[in-house]
Amino acid sequence: MEGFAGRTDAPKVLADRLGRRLSEQLRTGGPINDPVGWLIGRGLPQRQQCGDVRCDDRMLLDSGRDCPRCVDRREDRRAQRRKVAADVEAALPHVSEDERRVVAAKQLHQEVMARTWARIAEREQVRARQAAVKARVDAAAWQVPADQAASVRPVVKPGLRPVAAPDMAVVDQGPGLILENLTRNQVRDWRVRAMKDPQVVFDHVDRYGEASARRLFTVRLVDQVQRLAGLGHLNLGYIPWELS
């Protein structure tokens, strides 16, 4: 409330809201049996009637004036009702007023529902376009920079691919992997290699266990590799990952 009305005026704005809500409750809903529940559910929450974040019961929180968007919407609805009534009267000039009123109400309901579904479809299309743009931006941001990718040396299974680089030999000491002995650059190098070749992750899991792999390559990267492996997408290029 203070963000819209300011620290000085916020208490009065809130009191006016509660007064309006209380009068409305007593006029249409009867006495309040649960004051705390009524305050939490109906008395205190902002009731935004349009897309303006300042709107509360068709009034602006920062000025107390009528919300212009709500006014425009109300005028649009009135104009729509007048147009429907005129169209029905022109199409059915010989029926009674009550019959025209029933037909007009039905036609107005159909038009309102058609507009509502059109707005919903438009919002869904906007969300879909935004999601597609975000996906492209995220994919571009997660690519390994060219200078780093060029400097990465491949890590392969023994007997099938070259032996790991000498600077990584410190991790191969007996049956266990000593992650604490790795430098920051060595950890980064392992992760870049894993992004270029997911088999590095699987080899590590086979030899040292999944817990060790999650420590070295991060939980997110291991989960991503496992998920892509299940989908059969391991040969589609770099795995999306943001280097820490």
Side-chain angles (χ1 to χ4, degrees):
M1 184 70 72
E2 292 183 359
F4 296 109
R7 183 181 297 272
T8 302
D9 296 332
K12 183 179 183 303
V13 173
L14 183 58
D16 291 343
R17 173 194 290 176
L18 290 175
R20 292 195 309 272
R21 305 277 174 83
L22 181 59
S23 298
E24 176 186 324
Q25 173 69 30
L26 296 178
R27 186 177 65 257
T28 62
I32 300 173
N33 298 321
D34 181 7
V36 175
W38 181 85
L39 284 172
I40 296 175
R42 303 189 62 181
L44 293 176
Q46 178 182 354
R47 294 195 302 207
Q48 188 176 339
Q49 303 294 327
C50 68
D52 195 324
V53 296
R54 301 170 298 169
C55 178
D56 181 41
D57 289 334
R58 301 184 179 89
M59 297 175 60
L60 296 180
L61 289 172
D62 57 349
S63 64
R65 298 194 303 269
D66 290 341
C67 175
R69 290 193 181 184
C70 290
V71 171
D72 291 342
R73 292 176 60 187
R74 185 165 57 246
E75 292 301 324
D76 288 342
R77 287 194 294 267
R78 289 175 178 172
Q80 185 182 13
R81 285 195 294 268
R82 289 193 295 266
K83 180 179 182 302
V84 170
D87 293 341
V88 171
E89 184 176 0
L92 304 172
H94 304 297
V95 303
S96 66
E97 184 66 24
D98 290 340
E99 290 174 323
R100 283 200 298 267
R101 189 177 297 111
V102 171
V103 175
K106 182 177 180 180
Q107 183 172 337
L108 180 62
H109 175 73
Q110 292 174 346
E111 290 189 7
V112 170
M113 293 302 298
R115 289 188 179 185
T116 300
W117 285 113
R119 287 196 297 268
I120 292 175
E122 182 179 358
R123 286 197 295 268
E124 291 298 327
Q125 292 175 357
V126 171
R127 292 193 187 100
R129 289 195 295 268
Q130 291 174 343
V133 172
K134 184 179 183 300
R136 290 196 296 269
V137 172
D138 290 346
W142 287 346
Q143 294 298 318
V144 178
D147 56 343
Q148 294 182 9
S151 64
V152 172
R153 295 179 297 276
V155 177
V156 293
K157 290 185 78 170
L160 298 178
R161 294 173 293 180
V163 178
D167 62 331
M168 304 303 296
V170 66
V171 304
D172 190 8
Q173 297 183 6
L177 179 67
I178 305 177
L179 298 181
E180 290 76 10
N181 288 350
L182 293 176
T183 66
R184 184 181 183 87
N185 289 336
Q186 288 173 332
V187 171
R188 183 182 181 88
D189 196 21
W190 272 117
R191 292 179 181 178
V192 172
R193 297 181 186 198
M195 284 187 291
K196 289 181 65 68
D197 184 0
Q199 187 62 42
V200 173
V201 176
F202 293 124
D203 290 347
H204 189 98
V205 171
D206 291 341
R207 186 171 184 181
Y208 301 109
E210 185 171 328
S212 176
R214 291 180 181 274
R215 289 184 59 197
L216 176 59
F217 302 114
T218 74
V219 172
R220 181 179 176 182
L221 181 56
V222 174
D223 288 344
Q224 186 79 351
V225 168
Q226 292 176 339
R227 184 179 67 82
L228 293 179
L231 297 175
H233 291 172
L234 288 181
N235 59 345
L236 297 183
Y238 294 135
I239 298 172
W241 175 250
E242 186 174 347
L243 291 176
S244 58

